Amino acid sequence: MDGQGNLAVQRLALWSIPLSLGVMGLKMAAWWVTGSVALLSDGLESTVNVVAAFIAYFVIRYAQKPADHDHPFGHHKAEYLSAVTEGALIVVAALLIVNEAIGHLAAPRMLDAPALGLAINFAAGVINAVWAQLLIRTGRKHRSAALSADGQHIMSDVVTSVGVLIGLFLAIATGYPIFDPVLAILVAVNILYQGWKVISHSIGGLMDQAVEPEEEEAIKQAIATHAAGSIGVHDLKTRRAGSVTFVDFHLVVPATMPVRQAHDICDCLEDAIRAVHPGASIAIHVEPEGERAHGIRVKVVKDV
């Protein structure tokens, strides 16, 4: 991620804090005027959004620190810690919703001032939907796990709001207030699923999971078409840490090839890989022919 990308990610993370506070205020106001347990559950999830926004902002700032003596590969993985924490908070929010809803199953009641409450909640949902899409899109563009997780969390909040609105409309239209807590529980199940997705993706990053298959294929293609002069490539390994993609492989060259020529091939390969993965960190081990190939191999395209 370049300096401009870092600034964009950090700015959005900062603005998420006051925005999440405003949305939480709207949702709590909707609950206060209606007394709806579903709207209360929606507001409870928004309180988690506020905590998550603070965590995401400070972790993103830390993750963008340059590499130092103690962290020579950078601080990028801190974003995954933020994303795992946010996923856990999503799960906590879902459990809080279930707890509130179960308490109202036995004695559901009709809502006070339903039209005003629904209007307030709808406005909060629209704000969240627009902001979540911006966070997710920017997080993917600049490969910020924390920003993407924050956006996915807020999008789960949008789904909650939609479910709540449907449930309240049903309760009002049918005269059965039981729809209020029942819909709150169904929404909580969806939130649990969203939380699990955020956690599992982040754990994959912490465990040095390889890049996506299509991304690996692009790297292989770049190597195959820009390794002219070499004999082959093997032991290709990839992983991602935050916004940085790490690529490591062995380059086999003729035993009599001069060091300068082998170095030129490496420079060409690095430029080609960074063309498909900007900012990639690349390590190439050059070895003479005759070494036994192992790991993932790439067939080099020979000059015609």
Side-chain angles (χ1 to χ4, degrees):
M1 194 190 308
D2 57 20
Q4 190 173 0
N6 284 340
L7 186 61
V9 168
Q10 200 172 123
R11 185 183 294 120
L12 285 179
L14 177 60
W15 275 104
S16 281
I17 296 173
L19 190 137
S20 60
L21 283 167
V23 169
M24 182 186 71
L26 286 173
K27 291 190 174 185
M28 285 304 187
W31 162 69
W32 186 75
V33 301
T34 61
S36 165
V37 64
L39 289 178
L40 173 59
S41 68
D42 206 4
L44 286 173
E45 187 183 4
S46 290
T47 62
V48 177
N49 288 353
V50 174
V51 176
F54 274 99
I55 293 173
Y57 173 66
F58 289 107
V59 168
I60 284 172
R61 288 194 61 182
Y62 180 79
Q64 291 178 352
K65 289 174 60 178
D68 54 32
H69 181 269
D70 293 327
H71 304 87
F73 291 99
H75 303 77
H76 315 288
K77 283 192 176 182
E79 289 206 25
Y80 291 124
L81 296 175
S82 170
V84 169
T85 302
E86 191 150 350
L89 289 174
I90 294 174
V91 173
V92 170
L95 296 177
L96 288 173
I97 292 170
V98 170
N99 182 63
E100 285 293 328
I102 290 176
H104 286 74
L105 281 174
R109 68 181 185 84
M110 291 304 294
L111 312 182
D112 302 320
L116 178 58
L118 292 180
I120 295 173
N121 200 67
F122 177 77
V126 171
I127 294 171
N128 263 350
V130 173
W131 190 248
Q133 287 300 317
L134 179 60
L135 292 180
I136 293 171
R137 186 167 62 249
T138 306
R140 287 174 179 170
K141 178 181 178 181
H142 298 294
R143 297 177 182 174
S144 171
L147 200 67
S148 294
D150 201 20
Q152 290 166 358
H153 185 181
I154 294 174
M155 187 53 69
S156 73
D157 197 10
V158 174
V159 174
T160 301
S161 297
V162 172
V164 165
L165 289 173
I166 292 173
L168 295 183
F169 273 123
L170 287 173
I172 295 168
T174 62
Y176 291 106
I178 192 69
F179 279 113
D180 184 18
V182 168
L183 258 294
I185 292 174
L186 292 177
V187 165
V189 172
N190 176 69
I191 294 172
L192 282 171
Y193 173 66
Q194 297 299 326
W196 165 247
K197 286 203 302 183
V198 170
I199 292 172
S200 61
H201 173 75
S202 302
I203 288 177
L206 287 171
M207 296 298 293
D208 289 334
Q209 185 176 6
V211 299
E212 297 297 324
E214 60 272 16
E215 294 177 303
E216 184 177 280
E217 188 57 38
I219 292 172
K220 287 181 179 178
Q221 187 64 25
I223 293 173
T225 55
H226 291 81
S230 68
I231 296 173
V233 168
H234 65 267
D235 201 23
L236 172 64
K237 298 174 183 176
T238 63
R239 66 183 178 91
R240 175 167 293 145
S243 61
V244 178
T245 299
F246 289 85
V247 181
D248 183 305
F249 58 89
H250 293 194
L251 177 71
V252 182
V253 299
T256 57
M257 177 177 284
V259 172
R260 168 56 63 184
Q261 189 175 348
H263 182 267
D264 290 342
I265 296 174
C266 290
D267 284 345
C268 184
L269 285 168
E270 288 175 358
D271 290 342
I273 294 171
R274 290 195 177 106
V276 295
H277 278 278
S281 178
I282 305 163
I284 305 175
H285 172 72
V286 179
E287 58 186 35
E289 58 184 316
E291 296 292 324
R292 183 178 179 182
H294 57 278
I296 297 176
R297 306 181 190 182
V298 180
K299 186 176 181 180
V300 174
V301 177
K302 305 295 183 180
D303 288 331
V304 180

